[in-house]
Amino acid sequence: AWGSPRAPNLSESAHSSRRAARREELLAWLDSWVRARYMLGTAAAERELALDAWRCALDTVYDRPRRLIGWGNTKSVQEVMPDFDVIHENFQPTKLGYAPESFESCARTLRAATVELVTAPHPRVQVVQYDLVDFERQVLSDKNLVELKRFIRAVQDMDFHAMQLSSAEILRLIQSTADVLDSHRK
């Protein structure tokens, strides 16, 4: 029987094939979406950079493990009520299912696409800049979450020097986030 203990490989194989087929459909859709969103032709180097950035995002920030309950993307710790138990997996989780450095790489790739679009005046440069602001905001939020974990550890260890360093870094990240968010209005 399907999924029975006697045929686990068949069930796993079918699930794996369905997942691979869905991923291929998703990547094809993503390619069309990036081309339409940024009005880029099929051979544009900028399109490849933008597509690489969004594929990277798909494999990091937008790839929520099934075990996570609730919905929503990762939430900025700057929007969460201060608490020692701020790391959670439910609605708008603060627990990351990816390495923050991986998503930072996505943002660097989208930044490169943005530079290409800005140097060759493009009608959708505002759209890619908007997306870049969102990527950069997420990078800073991820860094803030990592720093908040350090701060909590320092408080628990009563390490006042580490608390001071960590709180200064959190304030710097908050200011950087404000600067990034403000940059899109200009």
Side-chain angles (χ1 to χ4, degrees):
W2 186 259
S4 74
R6 288 180 291 177
N9 293 339
L10 177 61
S11 177
E12 265 182 43
S13 174
H15 176 70
S16 198
S17 321
R18 282 193 313 268
R19 199 165 131 191
R22 276 184 273 167
R23 178 157 177 83
E24 287 308 312
E25 287 174 22
L26 183 58
L27 290 176
W29 174 86
L30 188 62
D31 181 68
S32 297
W33 182 81
V34 165
R35 220 173 320 128
R37 181 161 178 81
Y38 304 137
M39 293 175 65
L40 299 171
T42 55
E46 299 88 0
R47 180 188 143 276
E48 287 305 313
L49 285 170
L51 186 56
D52 287 348
W54 280 99
R55 282 181 176 163
C56 180
L58 186 65
D59 292 333
T60 54
V61 73
Y62 291 115
D63 185 28
R64 289 207 43 221
R66 287 179 180 237
R67 66 180 168 69
L68 293 182
I69 53 175
W71 61 274
N73 214 348
T74 55
K75 184 171 183 70
S76 170
V77 293
Q78 297 160 9
E79 302 170 25
V80 178
M81 198 72 132
D83 189 352
F84 281 108
D85 192 24
V86 74
I87 313 305
H88 62 276
E89 294 183 337
N90 51 4
F91 176 72
Q92 292 188 325
T94 54
K95 183 172 184 177
L96 302 178
Y98 58 92
E101 309 79 41
S102 299
F103 185 69
E104 193 168 0
S105 168
C106 307
R108 274 193 303 274
T109 305
L110 190 59
R111 198 176 310 125
T114 305
V115 167
E116 290 293 321
L117 288 169
V118 169
T119 51
H122 191 276
R124 298 303 294 259
V125 75
Q126 289 289 331
V127 176
V128 76
Q129 285 175 329
Y130 176 87
D131 290 345
L132 180 60
V133 164
D134 199 39
F135 271 50
E136 296 290 353
R137 179 209 47 80
Q138 186 64 49
V139 166
L140 290 165
S141 176
D142 292 350
K143 286 181 176 187
N144 214 331
L145 182 59
V146 169
E147 196 59 46
L148 179 63
K149 289 177 185 179
R150 280 191 198 115
F151 180 78
I152 290 170
R153 228 176 297 116
V155 169
Q156 290 168 337
D157 295 344
M158 299 297 286
D159 183 342
F160 296 107
H161 180 68
M163 279 187 257
Q164 193 173 30
L165 292 175
S166 204
S167 62
E169 180 61 9
I170 289 169
L171 289 175
R172 188 194 68 74
L173 289 166
I174 289 170
Q175 183 59 56
S176 294
T177 302
D179 293 344
V180 163
L181 294 174
D182 191 45
S183 72
H184 188 63
R185 296 185 315 155
K186 295 177 181 172

